[in-house]
Amino acid sequence: MTPFHAGLYQCAYYTTGDILSERSDSLLLVVTGLYGAPSLSAQPSPVVASGENVSLSCSSNLTSGTFHLLKEGAADPPGHMEAKPRMHAGRWWAIFPLGPMNTSHGGIYRCYGSLSTYPNVWSQPSAPLHIEVTASRPKDYTVENLIRMGVAGLVLVVLGVLLFQARNDTRKTHDAARMGTQRQQHTVQSGGALEPI
């Protein structure tokens, strides 16, 4: 294979009487291995919980063109993304967002790069990147539990204050009644007479 073999192919056949049949669907033939391999990485991690998102980052020192993302064993056509004119440390970058993740997203991914002048001539493949999709992470209820505990503590404090105040008010009423009784007894003992009001 050479770069000149890359491109779209169709076939047809001649029927009786040299009549040409309809053409077949187009078949894209890609030639790989002509440029250096790009790098492929996953953010935030190649291990991702079901329902979350992950981004696959493909980078290369190719000056322009398209990045191609392929999953091993997948029947889907490769994903394509134009290289952004964004350079970091002399490399071009393209991001492939995936998600929300489910078990079908798991597997081995590779990316390729191609020049804009030869879109069907691809680089060598990147090193394989294994994406693992795990069960959904249990929800972290720490903050909610802390809020609930704080509210419960506040309610207990308020109830304690109300109980203390009610007890204090009862004691004051009781003390006032006892003082009134003692005054009456003292007045009677000293010979005084209580006049009706």
Side-chain angles (χ1 to χ4, degrees):
M1 295 297 293
T2 70
F4 299 105
H5 292 101
L8 287 172
Y9 286 79
Q10 291 179 312
C11 71
Y13 61 92
Y14 282 101
T15 62
T16 314
D18 289 340
I19 298 172
L20 190 63
S21 69
E22 291 185 10
R23 293 176 181 268
S24 67
D25 292 335
S26 297
L27 173 70
L28 175 62
L29 185 64
V30 173
V31 178
T32 65
L34 268 77
Y35 317 112
S39 298
L40 183 62
S41 60
Q43 282 82 35
S45 166
V47 179
V48 60
S50 179
E52 294 187 350
N53 298 319
V54 68
S55 294
L56 302 187
S57 174
C58 190
S59 67
S60 171
N61 55 7
L62 292 174
T63 56
S64 64
T66 305
F67 288 98
H68 314 270
L69 181 70
L70 280 78
K71 180 184 173 190
E72 285 188 6
D76 297 333
H80 293 81
M81 181 171 286
E82 295 293 326
K84 302 289 183 186
R86 188 174 51 155
M87 190 163 291
H88 176 69
R91 297 176 73 84
W92 296 93
W93 295 79
I95 306 295
F96 294 89
L98 298 178
M101 301 294 282
N102 58 48
T103 51
S104 67
H105 289 100
I108 297 174
Y109 290 80
R110 296 177 189 267
C111 76
Y112 298 77
S114 66
L115 298 175
S116 54
T117 48
Y118 299 101
N120 300 319
V121 178
W122 294 4
S123 67
Q124 295 176 8
S126 67
L129 176 65
H130 181 72
I131 299 295
E132 181 182 350
V133 181
T134 62
S136 297
R137 289 185 185 152
K139 189 175 177 184
D140 187 4
Y141 291 102
T142 306
V143 174
E144 289 91 337
N145 287 340
L146 286 173
I147 292 171
R148 288 189 190 101
M149 288 172 64
V151 170
L154 184 62
V155 168
L156 285 174
V157 168
V158 169
L159 287 174
V161 168
L162 291 174
L163 185 62
F164 178 77
Q165 191 174 10
R167 187 176 172 197
N168 223 11
D169 289 347
T170 304
R171 183 180 291 164
K172 284 180 182 175
T173 305
H174 183 65
D175 288 348
R178 192 173 57 194
M179 289 286 282
T181 304
Q182 286 176 351
R183 259 191 229 138
Q184 288 176 357
Q185 288 174 354
H186 180 65
T187 306
V188 170
Q189 287 173 359
S190 36
L194 291 175
E195 295 181 4
I197 299 174

Short mmCIF file of all heavy atoms in Angstrom, two decimals, residues 139-185:
data_model
loop_
_atom_site.label_atom_id
_atom_site.label_comp_id
_atom_site.label_asym_id
_atom_site.label_seq_id
_atom_site.Cartn_x
_atom_site.Cartn_y
_atom_site.Cartn_z
N LYS A 139 -23.82 8.30 45.96
CA LYS A 139 -23.87 9.73 46.23
C LYS A 139 -23.29 10.01 47.61
O LYS A 139 -23.55 9.29 48.56
CB LYS A 139 -25.31 10.23 46.15
CG LYS A 139 -25.39 11.74 46.22
CD LYS A 139 -26.80 12.22 46.01
CE LYS A 139 -26.86 13.72 46.16
NZ LYS A 139 -28.21 14.24 46.05
N ASP A 140 -22.49 11.04 47.69
CA ASP A 140 -21.88 11.43 48.96
C ASP A 140 -22.86 12.33 49.71
O ASP A 140 -23.16 13.44 49.29
CB ASP A 140 -20.57 12.17 48.68
CG ASP A 140 -19.80 12.46 49.97
OD1 ASP A 140 -20.27 12.02 51.04
OD2 ASP A 140 -18.75 13.11 49.90
N TYR A 141 -23.35 11.80 50.83
CA TYR A 141 -24.33 12.53 51.63
C TYR A 141 -23.68 13.26 52.80
O TYR A 141 -24.37 13.69 53.71
CB TYR A 141 -25.39 11.56 52.17
CG TYR A 141 -26.28 11.01 51.09
CD1 TYR A 141 -26.10 9.72 50.60
CD2 TYR A 141 -27.32 11.77 50.56
CE1 TYR A 141 -26.92 9.21 49.61
CE2 TYR A 141 -28.15 11.26 49.57
CZ TYR A 141 -27.94 9.98 49.10
OH TYR A 141 -28.75 9.49 48.12
N THR A 142 -22.36 13.41 52.81
CA THR A 142 -21.68 14.01 53.94
C THR A 142 -22.19 15.41 54.24
O THR A 142 -22.51 15.74 55.39
CB THR A 142 -20.15 14.07 53.67
OG1 THR A 142 -19.71 12.75 53.35
CG2 THR A 142 -19.40 14.58 54.88
N VAL A 143 -22.27 16.26 53.21
CA VAL A 143 -22.70 17.65 53.42
C VAL A 143 -24.14 17.68 53.92
O VAL A 143 -24.45 18.40 54.89
CB VAL A 143 -22.56 18.45 52.11
CG1 VAL A 143 -23.13 19.85 52.27
CG2 VAL A 143 -21.10 18.53 51.69
N GLU A 144 -25.02 16.88 53.28
CA GLU A 144 -26.41 16.86 53.70
C GLU A 144 -26.54 16.39 55.15
O GLU A 144 -27.32 16.94 55.93
CB GLU A 144 -27.25 15.93 52.80
CG GLU A 144 -27.46 16.49 51.39
CD GLU A 144 -26.38 16.04 50.43
OE1 GLU A 144 -25.27 15.69 50.90
OE2 GLU A 144 -26.63 16.06 49.21
N ASN A 145 -25.75 15.36 55.50
CA ASN A 145 -25.80 14.85 56.88
C ASN A 145 -25.30 15.89 57.88
O ASN A 145 -25.85 16.02 58.98
CB ASN A 145 -24.99 13.56 57.00
CG ASN A 145 -25.69 12.39 56.34
OD1 ASN A 145 -26.89 12.43 56.13
ND2 ASN A 145 -24.94 11.36 56.01
N LEU A 146 -24.25 16.63 57.52
CA LEU A 146 -23.75 17.68 58.40
C LEU A 146 -24.80 18.77 58.60
O LEU A 146 -24.98 19.28 59.72
CB LEU A 146 -22.46 18.28 57.83
CG LEU A 146 -21.21 17.40 57.94
CD1 LEU A 146 -20.06 18.02 57.20
CD2 LEU A 146 -20.84 17.16 59.40
N ILE A 147 -25.51 19.11 57.52
CA ILE A 147 -26.57 20.14 57.63
C ILE A 147 -27.68 19.64 58.55
O ILE A 147 -28.15 20.36 59.43
CB ILE A 147 -27.11 20.50 56.24
CG1 ILE A 147 -26.04 21.24 55.43
CG2 ILE A 147 -28.38 21.34 56.34
CD1 ILE A 147 -26.39 21.45 53.98
N ARG A 148 -28.08 18.37 58.33
CA ARG A 148 -29.14 17.81 59.19
C ARG A 148 -28.72 17.79 60.66
O ARG A 148 -29.51 18.12 61.54
CB ARG A 148 -29.47 16.38 58.72
CG ARG A 148 -30.23 16.32 57.41
CD ARG A 148 -30.71 14.91 57.12
NE ARG A 148 -31.21 14.83 55.77
CZ ARG A 148 -30.54 14.31 54.74
NH1 ARG A 148 -29.34 13.81 54.93
NH2 ARG A 148 -31.08 14.27 53.54
N MET A 149 -27.48 17.40 60.92
CA MET A 149 -26.99 17.36 62.31
C MET A 149 -26.95 18.76 62.91
O MET A 149 -27.28 18.96 64.08
CB MET A 149 -25.60 16.71 62.36
CG MET A 149 -25.65 15.21 62.11
SD MET A 149 -24.03 14.47 61.94
CE MET A 149 -23.34 14.76 63.54
N GLY A 150 -26.54 19.74 62.10
CA GLY A 150 -26.50 21.12 62.58
C GLY A 150 -27.89 21.63 62.93
O GLY A 150 -28.10 22.27 63.98
N VAL A 151 -28.88 21.34 62.05
CA VAL A 151 -30.26 21.77 62.31
C VAL A 151 -30.79 21.08 63.56
O VAL A 151 -31.44 21.71 64.42
CB VAL A 151 -31.15 21.48 61.09
CG1 VAL A 151 -32.62 21.69 61.41
CG2 VAL A 151 -30.76 22.37 59.91
N ALA A 152 -30.52 19.76 63.68
CA ALA A 152 -30.99 19.03 64.86
C ALA A 152 -30.36 19.60 66.14
O ALA A 152 -31.04 19.77 67.16
CB ALA A 152 -30.65 17.54 64.72
N GLY A 153 -29.07 19.92 66.08
CA GLY A 153 -28.39 20.52 67.24
C GLY A 153 -29.00 21.86 67.61
O GLY A 153 -29.20 22.17 68.80
N LEU A 154 -29.31 22.68 66.59
CA LEU A 154 -29.90 23.99 66.83
C LEU A 154 -31.28 23.84 67.48
O LEU A 154 -31.63 24.57 68.41
CB LEU A 154 -30.01 24.75 65.51
CG LEU A 154 -30.52 26.18 65.58
CD1 LEU A 154 -29.58 27.04 66.42
CD2 LEU A 154 -30.66 26.77 64.20
N VAL A 155 -32.08 22.87 66.97
CA VAL A 155 -33.41 22.63 67.55
C VAL A 155 -33.27 22.22 69.02
O VAL A 155 -34.02 22.68 69.89
CB VAL A 155 -34.16 21.56 66.73
CG1 VAL A 155 -35.39 21.07 67.47
CG2 VAL A 155 -34.55 22.11 65.36
N LEU A 156 -32.30 21.34 69.32
CA LEU A 156 -32.09 20.91 70.70
C LEU A 156 -31.70 22.09 71.61
O LEU A 156 -32.16 22.20 72.74
CB LEU A 156 -31.01 19.82 70.76
CG LEU A 156 -31.45 18.44 70.28
CD1 LEU A 156 -30.28 17.49 70.25
CD2 LEU A 156 -32.54 17.88 71.19
N VAL A 157 -30.84 22.97 71.10
CA VAL A 157 -30.43 24.15 71.88
C VAL A 157 -31.63 25.04 72.17
O VAL A 157 -31.85 25.50 73.30
CB VAL A 157 -29.31 24.93 71.15
CG1 VAL A 157 -29.08 26.28 71.79
CG2 VAL A 157 -28.02 24.12 71.14
N VAL A 158 -32.45 25.29 71.12
CA VAL A 158 -33.65 26.14 71.29
C VAL A 158 -34.60 25.50 72.30
O VAL A 158 -35.13 26.19 73.20
CB VAL A 158 -34.34 26.38 69.93
CG1 VAL A 158 -35.70 27.02 70.12
CG2 VAL A 158 -33.47 27.25 69.04
N LEU A 159 -34.83 24.19 72.19
CA LEU A 159 -35.70 23.50 73.14
C LEU A 159 -35.14 23.58 74.56
O LEU A 159 -35.88 23.77 75.53
CB LEU A 159 -35.89 22.04 72.73
CG LEU A 159 -36.79 21.80 71.51
CD1 LEU A 159 -36.79 20.33 71.12
CD2 LEU A 159 -38.21 22.26 71.78
N GLY A 160 -33.82 23.44 74.68
CA GLY A 160 -33.17 23.55 76.00
C GLY A 160 -33.37 24.92 76.60
O GLY A 160 -33.67 25.05 77.80
N VAL A 161 -33.21 25.97 75.78
CA VAL A 161 -33.40 27.34 76.27
C VAL A 161 -34.84 27.55 76.70
O VAL A 161 -35.13 28.12 77.76
CB VAL A 161 -32.99 28.36 75.17
CG1 VAL A 161 -33.44 29.76 75.53
CG2 VAL A 161 -31.48 28.33 74.96
N LEU A 162 -35.80 27.09 75.87
CA LEU A 162 -37.22 27.23 76.22
C LEU A 162 -37.56 26.47 77.50
O LEU A 162 -38.29 26.98 78.36
CB LEU A 162 -38.09 26.74 75.07
CG LEU A 162 -38.08 27.61 73.79
CD1 LEU A 162 -38.87 26.92 72.68
CD2 LEU A 162 -38.64 28.99 74.07
N LEU A 163 -37.01 25.28 77.66
CA LEU A 163 -37.26 24.48 78.85
C LEU A 163 -36.69 25.16 80.09
O LEU A 163 -37.33 25.25 81.13
CB LEU A 163 -36.66 23.08 78.68
CG LEU A 163 -36.92 22.08 79.79
CD1 LEU A 163 -38.42 21.81 79.91
CD2 LEU A 163 -36.19 20.79 79.53
N PHE A 164 -35.46 25.69 79.95
CA PHE A 164 -34.82 26.39 81.06
C PHE A 164 -35.63 27.63 81.45
O PHE A 164 -35.86 27.90 82.63
CB PHE A 164 -33.39 26.79 80.67
CG PHE A 164 -32.67 27.56 81.74
CD1 PHE A 164 -32.15 26.92 82.86
CD2 PHE A 164 -32.53 28.95 81.63
CE1 PHE A 164 -31.49 27.64 83.84
CE2 PHE A 164 -31.88 29.65 82.61
CZ PHE A 164 -31.35 29.01 83.72
N GLN A 165 -36.10 28.37 80.45
CA GLN A 165 -36.87 29.58 80.70
C GLN A 165 -38.21 29.23 81.36
O GLN A 165 -38.64 29.89 82.31
CB GLN A 165 -37.10 30.33 79.38
CG GLN A 165 -37.66 31.72 79.58
CD GLN A 165 -37.73 32.47 78.25
OE1 GLN A 165 -37.53 31.90 77.20
NE2 GLN A 165 -38.01 33.75 78.33
N ALA A 166 -38.88 28.17 80.88
CA ALA A 166 -40.15 27.76 81.46
C ALA A 166 -39.95 27.31 82.91
O ALA A 166 -40.75 27.64 83.80
CB ALA A 166 -40.76 26.63 80.64
N ARG A 167 -38.89 26.60 83.18
CA ARG A 167 -38.60 26.15 84.55
C ARG A 167 -38.31 27.33 85.45
O ARG A 167 -38.75 27.41 86.60
CB ARG A 167 -37.41 25.19 84.50
CG ARG A 167 -37.13 24.54 85.83
CD ARG A 167 -36.02 23.55 85.68
NE ARG A 167 -35.63 23.07 86.98
CZ ARG A 167 -34.53 22.45 87.25
NH1 ARG A 167 -33.67 22.21 86.28
NH2 ARG A 167 -34.23 22.04 88.46
N ASN A 168 -37.56 28.28 84.91
CA ASN A 168 -37.23 29.50 85.66
C ASN A 168 -38.49 30.29 85.98
O ASN A 168 -38.66 30.78 87.09
CB ASN A 168 -36.25 30.35 84.83
CG ASN A 168 -35.13 30.91 85.68
OD1 ASN A 168 -34.96 30.51 86.82
ND2 ASN A 168 -34.39 31.83 85.11
N ASP A 169 -39.39 30.44 84.96
CA ASP A 169 -40.63 31.18 85.17
C ASP A 169 -41.51 30.48 86.22
O ASP A 169 -42.12 31.13 87.08
CB ASP A 169 -41.41 31.31 83.85
CG ASP A 169 -40.72 32.27 82.88
OD1 ASP A 169 -39.82 33.00 83.33
OD2 ASP A 169 -41.09 32.28 81.69
N THR A 170 -41.55 29.16 86.18
CA THR A 170 -42.33 28.40 87.16
C THR A 170 -41.77 28.60 88.56
O THR A 170 -42.51 28.79 89.54
CB THR A 170 -42.32 26.90 86.80
OG1 THR A 170 -42.80 26.74 85.47
CG2 THR A 170 -43.20 26.09 87.75
N ARG A 171 -40.47 28.57 88.67
CA ARG A 171 -39.82 28.76 89.98
C ARG A 171 -40.11 30.16 90.51
O ARG A 171 -40.40 30.34 91.70
CB ARG A 171 -38.31 28.54 89.85
CG ARG A 171 -37.58 28.65 91.18
CD ARG A 171 -36.09 28.44 91.05
NE ARG A 171 -35.83 27.04 90.71
CZ ARG A 171 -34.67 26.60 90.24
NH1 ARG A 171 -33.69 27.46 90.02
NH2 ARG A 171 -34.50 25.34 89.97
N LYS A 172 -40.04 31.18 89.62
CA LYS A 172 -40.32 32.56 90.06
C LYS A 172 -41.77 32.69 90.53
O LYS A 172 -42.05 33.31 91.55
CB LYS A 172 -40.07 33.54 88.90
CG LYS A 172 -38.61 33.81 88.64
CD LYS A 172 -38.45 34.78 87.49
CE LYS A 172 -36.98 35.01 87.20
NZ LYS A 172 -36.78 35.84 86.02
N THR A 173 -42.69 32.07 89.78
CA THR A 173 -44.11 32.12 90.18
C THR A 173 -44.30 31.42 91.52
O THR A 173 -45.00 31.92 92.41
CB THR A 173 -44.97 31.43 89.10
OG1 THR A 173 -44.71 32.05 87.85
CG2 THR A 173 -46.45 31.54 89.42
N HIS A 174 -43.65 30.26 91.67
CA HIS A 174 -43.75 29.51 92.91
C HIS A 174 -43.16 30.32 94.08
O HIS A 174 -43.74 30.39 95.17
CB HIS A 174 -43.04 28.17 92.76
CG HIS A 174 -43.14 27.29 93.96
ND1 HIS A 174 -44.34 26.77 94.42
CD2 HIS A 174 -42.18 26.85 94.82
CE1 HIS A 174 -44.11 26.04 95.49
NE2 HIS A 174 -42.80 26.07 95.76
N ASP A 175 -42.01 30.93 93.84
CA ASP A 175 -41.35 31.75 94.88
C ASP A 175 -42.22 32.95 95.24
O ASP A 175 -42.35 33.31 96.42
CB ASP A 175 -39.98 32.24 94.40
CG ASP A 175 -38.97 31.09 94.36
OD1 ASP A 175 -39.27 30.01 94.92
OD2 ASP A 175 -37.88 31.28 93.75
N ALA A 176 -42.83 33.59 94.23
CA ALA A 176 -43.69 34.75 94.50
C ALA A 176 -44.90 34.34 95.32
O ALA A 176 -45.31 35.03 96.26
CB ALA A 176 -44.13 35.39 93.19
N ALA A 177 -45.49 33.18 94.99
CA ALA A 177 -46.65 32.70 95.75
C ALA A 177 -46.25 32.39 97.19
O ALA A 177 -46.98 32.69 98.14
CB ALA A 177 -47.22 31.46 95.06
N ARG A 178 -45.09 31.78 97.36
CA ARG A 178 -44.63 31.44 98.71
C ARG A 178 -44.36 32.70 99.52
O ARG A 178 -44.69 32.79 100.70
CB ARG A 178 -43.37 30.58 98.61
CG ARG A 178 -43.01 29.94 99.95
CD ARG A 178 -41.88 28.97 99.82
NE ARG A 178 -40.74 29.66 99.24
CZ ARG A 178 -39.68 29.05 98.74
NH1 ARG A 178 -39.62 27.74 98.72
NH2 ARG A 178 -38.68 29.73 98.26
N MET A 179 -43.79 33.72 98.87
CA MET A 179 -43.51 35.00 99.55
C MET A 179 -44.83 35.65 99.98
O MET A 179 -44.94 36.20 101.08
CB MET A 179 -42.74 35.94 98.62
CG MET A 179 -41.32 35.51 98.39
SD MET A 179 -40.28 35.78 99.79
CE MET A 179 -39.99 37.50 99.65
N GLY A 180 -45.85 35.59 99.13
CA GLY A 180 -47.15 36.16 99.47
C GLY A 180 -47.76 35.45 100.67
O GLY A 180 -48.31 36.08 101.58
N THR A 181 -47.65 34.15 100.70
CA THR A 181 -48.19 33.35 101.83
C THR A 181 -47.45 33.68 103.11
O THR A 181 -48.05 33.84 104.18
CB THR A 181 -48.06 31.85 101.51
OG1 THR A 181 -48.71 31.58 100.27
CG2 THR A 181 -48.68 31.00 102.61
N GLN A 182 -46.14 33.80 103.02
CA GLN A 182 -45.34 34.12 104.21
C GLN A 182 -45.70 35.51 104.74
O GLN A 182 -45.76 35.73 105.95
CB GLN A 182 -43.84 34.06 103.88
CG GLN A 182 -43.33 32.64 103.73
CD GLN A 182 -41.88 32.60 103.31
OE1 GLN A 182 -41.31 33.64 102.96
NE2 GLN A 182 -41.31 31.42 103.34
N ARG A 183 -45.96 36.47 103.84
CA ARG A 183 -46.34 37.82 104.27
C ARG A 183 -47.67 37.79 105.02
O ARG A 183 -47.84 38.45 106.05
CB ARG A 183 -46.47 38.72 103.03
CG ARG A 183 -45.28 39.60 102.83
CD ARG A 183 -45.51 40.66 101.79
NE ARG A 183 -44.38 40.63 100.89
CZ ARG A 183 -44.43 40.71 99.59
NH1 ARG A 183 -45.58 40.84 98.99
NH2 ARG A 183 -43.35 40.68 98.88
N GLN A 184 -48.60 37.02 104.46
CA GLN A 184 -49.91 36.93 105.12
C GLN A 184 -49.77 36.32 106.51
O GLN A 184 -50.34 36.81 107.50
CB GLN A 184 -50.88 36.08 104.28
CG GLN A 184 -51.36 36.77 103.02
CD GLN A 184 -52.23 35.86 102.17
OE1 GLN A 184 -52.42 34.71 102.52
NE2 GLN A 184 -52.75 36.42 101.09
N GLN A 185 -48.96 35.25 106.61
CA GLN A 185 -48.78 34.60 107.91
C GLN A 185 -48.09 35.56 108.88
O GLN A 185 -48.41 35.64 110.06
CB GLN A 185 -47.95 33.32 107.74
CG GLN A 185 -48.73 32.21 107.06
CD GLN A 185 -47.84 31.01 106.78
OE1 GLN A 185 -46.63 31.07 106.99
NE2 GLN A 185 -48.46 29.96 106.31
#
